[in-house]
Structures are given as structure tokens and as C-alpha cells.
Coordinates of all heavy atoms in Angstrom, one line a residue:
M242 N -4.7 5.6 9.7 CA -5.2 6.9 9.2 C -5.3 6.9 7.7 O -4.4 6.5 7.0 CB -4.2 8.0 9.6 CG -4.4 9.3 8.9 SD -3.1 10.5 9.3 CE -4.1 11.9 9.3
D243 N -6.5 7.2 7.2 CA -6.8 7.3 5.8 C -6.3 8.7 5.3 O -7.0 9.7 5.5 CB -8.2 7.1 5.5 CG -8.6 7.1 4.1 OD1 -7.7 7.3 3.2 OD2 -9.8 6.9 3.8
K244 N -5.3 8.7 4.5 CA -4.7 10.0 4.0 C -5.4 10.4 2.7 O -5.1 11.5 2.2 CB -3.2 9.8 3.7 CG -2.4 9.6 5.0 CD -1.0 9.5 4.6 CE -0.3 8.6 5.6 NZ 0.9 8.0 5.2
N245 N -6.3 9.6 2.2 CA -7.0 9.9 1.0 C -8.4 10.5 1.1 O -9.2 10.4 0.2 CB -7.1 8.7 0.1 CG -5.7 8.2 -0.3 OD1 -4.9 9.0 -0.7 ND2 -5.4 6.9 -0.2
R246 N -8.7 11.0 2.3 CA -10.0 11.6 2.6 C -9.8 13.0 3.1 O -8.7 13.4 3.5 CB -10.8 10.7 3.5 CG -10.2 10.5 4.9 CD -11.2 10.0 5.9 NE -11.9 11.1 6.5 CZ -12.3 11.1 7.8 NH1 -12.0 10.1 8.6 NH2 -12.9 12.2 8.2
V247 N -10.9 13.7 3.2 CA -10.9 15.0 3.8 C -11.1 14.9 5.3 O -12.0 14.1 5.7 CB -12.0 15.9 3.2 CG1 -12.1 17.2 3.9 CG2 -11.7 16.1 1.7
W248 N -10.3 15.6 6.1 CA -10.4 15.5 7.6 C -10.8 16.8 8.1 O -10.3 17.9 7.6 CB -9.0 15.1 8.1 CG -8.7 13.7 7.9 CD1 -8.1 13.1 6.8 CD2 -8.8 12.6 8.8 NE1 -7.9 11.8 7.0 CE2 -8.3 11.4 8.2 CE3 -9.3 12.5 10.1 CZ2 -8.3 10.2 8.8 CZ3 -9.3 11.3 10.7 CH2 -8.9 10.1 10.1
G249 N -11.5 16.8 9.2 CA -11.8 18.1 10.0 C -10.6 18.3 10.9 O -9.9 17.4 11.3
H250 N -10.4 19.6 11.2 CA -9.3 20.0 12.1 C -9.3 19.2 13.4 O -8.3 18.6 13.9 CB -9.3 21.5 12.4 CG -8.2 21.9 13.3 ND1 -7.0 22.2 12.8 CD2 -8.2 22.2 14.6 CE1 -6.2 22.6 13.8 NE2 -7.0 22.6 14.9
K251 N -10.5 19.2 14.1 CA -10.6 18.5 15.4 C -10.4 17.0 15.2 O -9.8 16.4 16.1 CB -12.0 18.8 15.9 CG -12.1 18.5 17.4 CD -13.5 19.0 18.0 CE -13.5 20.5 18.0 NZ -14.7 21.0 18.7
E252 N -10.8 16.4 14.1 CA -10.6 15.0 13.9 C -9.1 14.6 13.9 O -8.7 13.7 14.5 CB -11.2 14.5 12.6 CG -12.6 14.4 12.5 CD -13.0 13.9 11.1 OE1 -12.8 14.7 10.1 OE2 -13.5 12.7 11.0
L253 N -8.4 15.4 13.1 CA -6.9 15.2 13.1 C -6.3 15.5 14.4 O -5.4 14.8 14.9 CB -6.3 16.1 12.0 CG -6.4 15.7 10.6 CD1 -5.8 16.7 9.7 CD2 -5.7 14.4 10.4
A254 N -6.7 16.6 15.1 CA -6.1 17.0 16.4 C -6.2 15.9 17.4 O -5.2 15.6 18.1 CB -6.8 18.2 16.9
V255 N -7.4 15.2 17.5 CA -7.5 14.1 18.5 C -6.6 12.9 18.1 O -6.3 12.2 19.0 CB -9.0 13.7 18.8 CG1 -9.8 14.9 19.3 CG2 -9.6 13.2 17.5
L256 N -6.3 12.8 16.9 CA -5.4 11.7 16.5 C -3.9 12.0 17.0 O -3.2 11.1 17.5 CB -5.3 11.5 15.0 CG -6.6 10.9 14.3 CD1 -6.4 10.8 12.8 CD2 -6.9 9.6 14.9
Y257 N -3.6 13.3 16.9 CA -2.2 13.7 17.3 C -2.1 13.9 18.8 O -1.1 13.8 19.4 CB -1.8 14.9 16.6 CG -1.2 14.6 15.2 CD1 -2.0 14.8 14.1 CD2 0.1 14.1 15.0 CE1 -1.5 14.5 12.8 CE2 0.6 13.8 13.8 CZ -0.2 14.0 12.7 OH 0.3 13.7 11.4
F258 N -3.2 14.3 19.5 CA -3.2 14.5 20.9 C -4.4 13.7 21.6 O -5.3 14.2 22.1 CB -3.5 16.0 21.2 CG -2.4 16.9 20.6 CD1 -2.6 17.4 19.3 CD2 -1.2 17.1 21.3 CE1 -1.6 18.3 18.8 CE2 -0.3 18.0 20.8 CZ -0.4 18.5 19.5
P259 N -4.2 12.3 21.5 CA -5.3 11.5 22.0 C -5.6 11.6 23.5 O -6.7 11.2 23.9 CB -4.8 10.1 21.7 CG -3.3 10.2 21.6 CD -3.0 11.6 21.1
D260 N -4.7 12.1 24.3 CA -4.9 12.2 25.7 C -5.6 13.5 26.1 O -5.8 13.8 27.3 CB -3.6 12.0 26.5 CG -3.1 10.6 26.3 OD1 -3.9 9.7 26.1 OD2 -1.8 10.5 26.3
S261 N -5.9 14.4 25.1 CA -6.5 15.7 25.4 C -8.0 15.6 25.0 O -8.4 14.8 24.2 CB -5.8 16.7 24.5 OG -4.5 16.9 24.9
T262 N -8.7 16.6 25.5 CA -10.1 16.7 25.1 C -10.1 17.2 23.6 O -9.1 17.8 23.2 CB -10.9 17.8 25.9 OG1 -10.3 19.1 25.7 CG2 -10.8 17.4 27.4
P263 N -11.1 17.0 22.9 CA -11.1 17.5 21.5 C -10.9 19.0 21.4 O -10.1 19.4 20.5 CB -12.6 17.1 21.0 CG -12.9 15.9 21.8 CD -12.3 16.2 23.2
K264 N -11.4 19.8 22.2 CA -11.2 21.2 22.2 C -9.7 21.6 22.4 O -9.1 22.4 21.7 CB -12.1 21.9 23.2 CG -11.9 23.4 23.1 CD -12.9 24.1 24.1 CE -12.7 25.6 24.0 NZ -13.6 26.3 25.0
S265 N -9.1 20.9 23.5 CA -7.7 21.2 23.8 C -6.8 20.7 22.7 O -5.9 21.3 22.3 CB -7.4 20.5 25.1 OG -6.0 20.6 25.4
A266 N -7.1 19.5 22.1 CA -6.3 18.9 21.0 C -6.4 19.8 19.8 O -5.3 20.1 19.2 CB -6.9 17.5 20.7
S267 N -7.5 20.4 19.5 CA -7.7 21.3 18.4 C -6.8 22.6 18.6 O -6.1 23.0 17.7 CB -9.1 21.7 18.3 OG -9.3 22.6 17.2
S268 N -6.8 23.1 19.8 CA -6.0 24.3 20.1 C -4.5 23.9 20.0 O -3.7 24.7 19.5 CB -6.3 24.8 21.5 OG -7.6 25.3 21.6
Q269 N -4.1 22.8 20.5 CA -2.7 22.4 20.5 C -2.2 22.2 19.1 O -1.1 22.6 18.7 CB -2.5 21.1 21.3 CG -2.7 21.2 22.8 CD -2.6 19.9 23.5 OE1 -1.6 19.3 23.4 NE2 -3.6 19.6 24.2
L270 N -3.0 21.5 18.2 CA -2.6 21.4 16.8 C -2.5 22.7 16.1 O -1.5 22.9 15.4 CB -3.6 20.5 16.1 CG -3.2 20.2 14.6 CD1 -1.9 19.5 14.5 CD2 -4.3 19.3 13.9
A271 N -3.4 23.6 16.4 CA -3.3 24.9 15.8 C -2.0 25.6 16.2 O -1.3 26.3 15.4 CB -4.5 25.8 16.1
L272 N -1.7 25.5 17.5 CA -0.4 26.1 17.9 C 0.8 25.5 17.3 O 1.7 26.3 16.9 CB -0.3 26.0 19.5 CG -1.1 27.0 20.3 CD1 -1.0 26.6 21.8 CD2 -0.6 28.4 20.1
W273 N 0.8 24.2 17.1 CA 1.9 23.6 16.5 C 2.1 24.0 15.0 O 3.2 24.3 14.6 CB 1.8 22.0 16.5 CG 2.3 21.4 17.7 CD1 1.6 21.2 18.9 CD2 3.6 21.0 18.0 NE1 2.4 20.7 19.9 CE2 3.7 20.5 19.3 CE3 4.8 21.0 17.2 CZ2 4.8 20.1 19.9 CZ3 5.9 20.5 17.8 CH2 5.9 20.0 19.1
I274 N 0.9 24.2 14.4 CA 1.0 24.7 13.0 C 1.5 26.1 12.9 O 2.4 26.4 12.1 CB -0.4 24.6 12.3 CG1 -0.8 23.1 12.1 CG2 -0.5 25.3 11.0 CD1 -2.2 22.9 11.7
W275 N 1.0 27.0 13.7 CA 1.4 28.4 13.6 C 2.8 28.7 14.2 O 3.4 29.7 13.9 CB 0.3 29.3 14.3 CG -0.9 29.3 13.4 CD1 -2.0 28.5 13.5 CD2 -1.1 30.1 12.2 NE1 -2.9 28.8 12.4 CE2 -2.3 29.7 11.6 CE3 -0.3 31.0 11.6 CZ2 -2.8 30.3 10.5 CZ3 -0.8 31.6 10.4 CH2 -2.0 31.3 9.9
R276 N 3.3 27.8 15.0 CA 4.6 28.0 15.5 C 5.7 27.4 14.7 O 6.9 27.8 14.8 CB 4.7 27.4 16.9 CG 4.0 28.2 18.0 CD 4.1 27.6 19.3 NE 3.5 28.4 20.3 CZ 3.3 28.1 21.6 NH1 3.7 26.9 22.0 NH2 2.6 28.9 22.4
D277 N 5.3 26.6 13.7 CA 6.3 25.9 12.8 C 6.2 26.6 11.5 O 5.4 26.3 10.7 CB 6.0 24.4 12.7 CG 7.0 23.7 11.9 OD1 7.6 24.2 11.0 OD2 7.2 22.5 12.2
E278 N 7.1 27.5 11.2 CA 7.1 28.4 10.0 C 7.1 27.5 8.8 O 6.4 27.8 7.8 CB 8.2 29.4 10.0 CG 8.0 30.5 11.1 CD 9.1 31.5 11.2 OE1 10.0 31.5 10.2 OE2 9.2 32.2 12.1
E279 N 7.9 26.5 8.8 CA 8.1 25.6 7.6 C 6.8 24.9 7.3 O 6.3 24.8 6.2 CB 9.3 24.7 7.7 CG 9.6 23.9 6.5 CD 10.8 23.0 6.7 OE1 11.7 23.4 7.4 OE2 10.8 22.0 6.0
L280 N 6.2 24.3 8.4 CA 5.0 23.6 8.2 C 3.9 24.5 7.7 O 3.1 24.2 6.8 CB 4.6 22.9 9.6 CG 3.2 22.3 9.7 CD1 2.9 21.3 8.6 CD2 2.9 21.8 11.1
L281 N 3.8 25.7 8.3 CA 2.7 26.6 7.9 C 2.9 27.0 6.5 O 1.9 27.1 5.7 CB 2.8 27.9 8.8 CG 1.8 29.0 8.5 CD1 0.3 28.4 8.5 CD2 1.9 30.1 9.5
A282 N 4.1 27.3 6.1 CA 4.4 27.7 4.7 C 4.0 26.6 3.7 O 3.4 26.8 2.7 CB 5.9 28.0 4.5
D283 N 4.3 25.3 4.1 CA 4.0 24.2 3.2 C 2.5 24.0 3.1 O 1.9 23.7 2.1 CB 4.7 22.9 3.6 CG 6.2 23.0 3.3 OD1 6.6 23.8 2.5 OD2 6.9 22.1 3.8
L284 N 1.8 24.2 4.3 CA 0.3 24.1 4.3 C -0.3 25.2 3.4 O -1.2 24.9 2.7 CB -0.2 24.1 5.7 CG -0.1 22.9 6.5 CD1 -0.5 23.1 8.0 CD2 -1.0 21.8 6.0
Q285 N 0.3 26.4 3.5 CA -0.3 27.5 2.7 C -0.1 27.3 1.2 O -0.9 27.6 0.4 CB 0.4 28.8 3.2 CG -0.1 29.2 4.5 CD 0.6 30.4 5.1 OE1 1.8 30.7 4.8 NE2 -0.1 31.2 6.0
K286 N 1.1 26.6 0.9 CA 1.3 26.3 -0.5 C 0.2 25.3 -1.0 O -0.1 25.2 -2.2 CB 2.7 25.7 -0.7 CG 3.8 26.7 -0.6 CD 5.1 26.0 -0.7 CE 6.3 26.9 -0.3 NZ 7.5 26.2 -0.2
A287 N -0.3 24.5 -0.1 CA -1.3 23.5 -0.4 C -2.7 24.1 -0.3 O -3.7 23.4 -0.3 CB -1.2 22.3 0.5
G288 N -2.8 25.4 -0.1 CA -4.1 26.1 -0.1 C -4.7 26.4 1.3 O -5.8 26.9 1.4
Y289 N -4.0 26.1 2.3 CA -4.4 26.3 3.7 C -4.4 27.8 4.0 O -3.5 28.5 3.7 CB -3.5 25.6 4.7 CG -3.9 25.8 6.2 CD1 -4.9 25.1 6.8 CD2 -3.1 26.7 6.9 CE1 -5.1 25.2 8.1 CE2 -3.4 26.9 8.3 CZ -4.4 26.2 8.8 OH -4.7 26.4 10.2
R290 N -5.5 28.3 4.7 CA -5.6 29.6 5.2 C -6.0 29.6 6.6 O -6.7 28.7 7.1 CB -6.6 30.4 4.4 CG -6.3 30.5 2.9 CD -5.1 31.4 2.6 NE -4.7 31.4 1.2 CZ -3.7 30.7 0.7 NH1 -3.0 30.0 1.4 NH2 -3.4 30.8 -0.6
K291 N -5.6 30.7 7.4 CA -6.0 30.8 8.8 C -7.5 30.6 9.0 O -8.3 31.2 8.2 CB -5.5 32.1 9.4 CG -5.8 32.2 10.8 CD -5.2 33.5 11.4 CE -5.4 33.5 12.9 NZ -4.8 34.7 13.5
G292 N -7.9 29.8 9.9 CA -9.3 29.7 10.2 C -10.0 28.5 9.5 O -11.1 28.1 9.8
Q293 N -9.3 27.9 8.5 CA -9.9 26.8 7.8 C -9.9 25.6 8.7 O -8.9 25.4 9.5 CB -9.1 26.5 6.5 CG -9.4 27.5 5.5 CD -8.7 27.1 4.1 OE1 -7.7 26.5 4.1 NE2 -9.4 27.4 3.1
R294 N -10.9 24.8 8.7 CA -11.1 23.7 9.6 C -11.1 22.4 8.8 O -11.4 21.3 9.4 CB -12.4 23.8 10.4 CG -12.5 25.2 11.1 CD -11.3 25.5 12.0 NE -11.4 24.9 13.2 CZ -10.4 24.9 14.1 NH1 -9.3 25.6 13.9 NH2 -10.5 24.3 15.2
I295 N -10.8 22.4 7.5 CA -10.8 21.2 6.7 C -9.4 21.0 6.1 O -8.8 21.9 5.6 CB -11.8 21.4 5.5 CG1 -13.3 21.6 6.1 CG2 -11.8 20.3 4.5 CD1 -13.8 20.4 6.8
Y296 N -9.0 19.8 6.1 CA -7.7 19.4 5.5 C -8.0 18.4 4.4 O -8.5 17.3 4.6 CB -6.9 18.7 6.6 CG -6.4 19.7 7.7 CD1 -7.3 20.0 8.7 CD2 -5.2 20.3 7.6 CE1 -6.9 20.9 9.7 CE2 -4.8 21.2 8.6 CZ -5.7 21.5 9.6 OH -5.3 22.4 10.5
T297 N -7.6 18.8 3.2 CA -7.7 18.0 2.0 C -6.6 16.9 2.1 O -5.7 17.0 2.9 CB -7.4 18.8 0.8 OG1 -6.1 19.3 0.8 CG2 -8.4 19.9 0.6
P298 N -6.7 15.9 1.3 CA -5.6 14.9 1.3 C -4.2 15.5 1.1 O -3.2 15.0 1.8 CB -6.0 13.9 0.2 CG -7.5 14.0 0.1 CD -7.8 15.4 0.4
R299 N -4.1 16.5 0.3 CA -2.8 17.1 0.1 C -2.3 17.8 1.4 O -1.1 17.7 1.7 CB -2.9 18.2 -1.0 CG -1.6 18.9 -1.4 CD -1.8 19.7 -2.6 NE -0.7 20.6 -2.8 CZ -0.7 21.7 -3.4 NH1 -1.8 22.2 -3.9 NH2 0.4 22.5 -3.5
R300 N -3.2 18.5 2.1 CA -2.8 19.1 3.4 C -2.5 18.1 4.4 O -1.6 18.3 5.3 CB -3.9 20.1 3.8 CG -4.1 21.2 2.9 CD -5.2 22.1 3.4 NE -5.6 22.9 2.2 CZ -6.8 23.4 2.1 NH1 -7.8 23.2 3.0 NH2 -7.1 24.2 1.0
V301 N -3.2 17.0 4.5 CA -2.9 15.9 5.4 C -1.5 15.4 5.1 O -0.8 15.1 6.1 CB -4.0 14.8 5.3 CG1 -3.6 13.6 6.1 CG2 -5.4 15.3 5.8
A302 N -1.2 15.2 3.9 CA 0.1 14.7 3.5 C 1.2 15.6 4.0 O 2.3 15.2 4.5 CB 0.2 14.5 2.0
V303 N 1.0 16.9 3.9 CA 1.9 17.9 4.4 C 2.1 17.8 5.9 O 3.2 17.7 6.5 CB 1.5 19.4 4.1 CG1 2.4 20.4 4.8 CG2 1.6 19.6 2.6
L304 N 1.0 17.6 6.7 CA 1.1 17.5 8.1 C 1.8 16.2 8.5 O 2.7 16.2 9.3 CB -0.3 17.3 8.7 CG -1.0 18.6 9.1 CD1 -2.5 18.3 9.5 CD2 -0.3 19.4 10.1
V305 N 1.5 15.1 7.8 CA 2.2 13.8 8.1 C 3.7 13.9 7.7 O 4.5 13.4 8.5 CB 1.5 12.7 7.4 CG1 2.3 11.4 7.5 CG2 0.1 12.5 7.9
D306 N 4.0 14.6 6.7 CA 5.4 14.8 6.3 C 6.2 15.5 7.3 O 7.3 15.2 7.6 CB 5.5 15.5 4.9 CG 6.9 15.6 4.4 OD1 7.6 14.6 4.4 OD2 7.3 16.8 4.1
H307 N 5.5 16.5 8.0 CA 6.2 17.3 9.0 C 6.2 16.7 10.4 O 7.2 16.8 11.1 CB 5.6 18.7 9.0 CG 6.1 19.6 8.0 ND1 7.2 20.4 8.1 CD2 5.6 19.8 6.7 CE1 7.4 21.1 7.0 NE2 6.5 20.7 6.1
L308 N 5.0 16.1 10.7 CA 4.9 15.6 12.1 C 5.0 14.1 12.2 O 5.2 13.6 13.3 CB 3.5 16.0 12.6 CG 3.1 17.5 12.7 CD1 1.7 17.7 13.1 CD2 4.1 18.2 13.5
G309 N 4.9 13.4 11.1 CA 4.9 11.9 11.2 C 3.4 11.4 11.3 O 2.5 12.2 11.4
E310 N 3.3 10.2 11.3 CA 2.0 9.5 11.5 C 1.5 9.8 12.9 O 2.2 9.7 13.8 CB 2.1 8.0 11.2 CG 2.4 7.6 9.8 CD 1.2 7.8 8.9 OE1 0.0 7.8 9.3 OE2 1.4 7.7 7.6
P311 N 0.2 10.0 13.0 CA -0.4 10.3 14.4 C -0.1 9.1 15.3 O 0.2 9.3 16.5 CB -1.9 10.4 14.2 CG -2.0 10.8 12.7 CD -0.9 10.2 12.0
E312 N -0.1 7.9 14.8 CA 0.1 6.7 15.7 C 1.5 6.7 16.3 O 1.7 6.1 17.4 CB -0.2 5.4 14.9 CG -1.6 5.3 14.4 CD -1.8 6.0 13.0 OE1 -0.8 6.4 12.4 OE2 -2.9 6.2 12.6
T313 N 2.5 7.2 15.6 CA 3.9 7.2 16.1 C 4.4 8.5 16.5 O 5.5 8.6 17.1 CB 4.8 6.6 15.0 OG1 4.7 7.5 13.8 CG2 4.4 5.2 14.6
W314 N 3.6 9.6 16.4 CA 4.1 10.9 16.7 C 4.0 11.2 18.2 O 3.1 10.8 18.9 CB 3.2 12.0 16.0 CG 3.6 13.4 16.2 CD1 4.6 14.0 15.5 CD2 3.0 14.3 17.0 NE1 4.7 15.3 15.9 CE2 3.8 15.5 16.9 CE3 2.0 14.3 18.0 CZ2 3.5 16.7 17.6 CZ3 1.7 15.5 18.7 CH2 2.4 16.6 18.5
R315 N 5.0 11.8 18.6 CA 5.1 12.2 20.0 C 5.6 13.6 20.1 O 6.4 14.1 19.3 CB 6.1 11.4 20.8 CG 5.7 9.9 20.9 CD 4.5 9.7 21.8 NE 4.0 8.4 21.8 CZ 3.0 7.9 21.2 NH1 2.3 8.7 20.4 NH2 2.6 6.7 21.2
I316 N 5.1 14.4 21.0 CA 5.4 15.8 21.2 C 6.9 15.9 21.4 O 7.5 15.2 22.2 CB 4.7 16.4 22.4 CG1 3.2 16.5 22.1 CG2 5.2 17.9 22.6 CD1 2.4 17.0 23.3
R317 N 7.6 16.7 20.5 CA 9.0 16.8 20.6 C 9.4 18.0 21.4 O 8.8 19.0 21.5 CB 9.6 17.0 19.2 CG 9.3 15.8 18.4 CD 9.7 16.0 16.9 NE 8.5 15.6 16.2 CZ 8.3 16.0 14.9 NH1 9.2 16.7 14.3 NH2 7.2 15.6 14.3

């Protein structure tokens, strides 16, 4: 995963939920973000707002910090 580029929400979602359809993965990632108050707060500090579909390298770093690398992340 290249953490130094801008990622779309669906692109990241399919990395974290590879066994899901892109639409389902996107919904699942959004739920994980909105249900984790600490993750959401840190993303918002990085400029994230509800409905945004783009993740800057800074926001990607926040996601990886909270969830881990997509290759090793498993639903907890």
C-alpha cells in the first residue's frame, strides 16, 4: 500500500475488505469509521468531513495507525 498518495474511499475499502464487493466494502469502512469515536476524531483533525470520498496521505496514515495495514488487518 502506497501511503504517500491520495486514495479514494472505495479503493481503500476494498483493501480492508477484499472479500466484499466494492459497494459493500465502502459501506463497511464507513461504518467502522463512524463507530470508532477515536478514529473519527483523529480523521477530523486531519481534515476529514462526512461524505468526503478522498483520503490524503495524512488521513491514510490515521487509518493505518488505527486499523493497521490492510494486508494484515482483520475484523476485530
